[in-house]
Amino acid sequence: MRSEDKIFTLSQLQQQLQTWRSQGQKIVFTNGCFDLLHLGHVDYLEKSRQLGDKLVLGLNTDASISRIKGPSRPLQDEKSRARVMASLLFVDAVVLFDEDTPLELIRAVQPDILVKGDDYTIENIVGQDVVTQRGGEVKTVPLVKGYSTTNIVKKIENQHNS
């Protein structure tokens, strides 16, 4: 399968979700910017996928990242980030969203399991009420300490400025 084949519009994703659900597949959802792929991301996504049968990744658009993280981000455009994320064998679908939070996307996907890193408490995970109200689960997975895109950017900036 080509990585491009795992990048969906919302309407395409909803059709794919129907197929997976008809096959009895458990859908896991997570989201993020994934601006620079690093070990922390890989470990987190692999652990997330192990919680179900299919992992759907909601990916922030360039515009939403700029609003959230400032005008110097993202470092890579959304098409590049989507392809990189779709190339991971444990990511089954990538869908872009333009809002500041994934709430509307979570409502549309209706995942069986919603996952974030353990830097979140379950009560503070956007969409947790939507998922639990329909009988789904909300989980956190342990993050690999010391890995973040922000830290990598700072390290590069420090090396460049010295």
Side-chain angles (χ1 to χ4, degrees):
M1 171 179 273
R2 298 175 332 137
S3 59
E4 294 111 319
D5 296 337
K6 294 180 1 183
I7 302 169
F8 294 85
T9 64
L10 183 55
S11 63
Q12 291 168 335
L13 178 62
Q14 288 178 313
Q15 290 178 337
Q16 183 62 62
L17 289 168
Q18 280 184 327
T19 301
W20 287 338
R21 286 195 172 103
S22 73
Q23 298 166 349
Q25 306 282 337
K26 189 181 281 192
I27 308 301
V28 179
F29 176 88
T30 195
N31 68 281
C33 300
F34 301 99
D35 204 359
L36 286 178
L37 185 63
H38 55 69
L39 174 63
H41 291 144
V42 171
D43 187 75
Y44 166 72
L45 293 168
E46 189 171 39
K47 287 174 182 168
S48 297
R49 173 61 166 69
Q50 291 169 355
L51 298 172
D53 301 306
K54 298 292 181 183
L55 178 60
V56 175
L57 175 69
L59 190 66
N60 291 76
T61 61
D62 293 347
S64 69
I65 292 175
S66 290
R67 287 192 305 271
I68 295 164
K69 298 195 178 266
S72 65
R73 301 278 296 274
L75 302 171
Q76 300 185 81
D77 67 83
E78 61 197 46
K79 287 183 180 177
S80 300
R81 291 181 292 111
R83 277 289 298 280
V84 168
M85 301 315 292
S87 74
L88 298 172
L89 63 101
F90 36 79
V91 172
D92 297 289
V94 176
V95 61
L96 290 163
F97 70 99
D98 195 44
E99 298 77 20
D100 291 351
T101 77
L103 183 59
E104 292 307 313
L105 183 55
I106 291 167
R107 284 187 177 127
V109 170
Q110 294 289 312
D112 299 299
I113 300 172
L114 174 61
V115 183
K116 288 298 280 181
D118 65 359
D119 54 339
Y120 285 82
T121 60
I122 288 180
E123 304 77 45
N124 291 332
I125 296 174
V126 169
Q128 59 87 16
D129 54 335
V130 172
V131 174
T132 56
Q133 282 171 4
R134 57 174 294 280
E137 299 176 81
V138 180
K139 299 186 176 195
T140 60
V141 296
L143 297 177
V144 179
K145 302 296 179 225
Y147 288 90
S148 79
T149 300
T150 301
N151 288 347
I152 292 170
V153 170
K154 285 179 183 173
K155 185 175 181 179
I156 291 167
E157 286 173 344
N158 288 341
Q159 288 175 349
H160 177 74
N161 294 331
S162 45

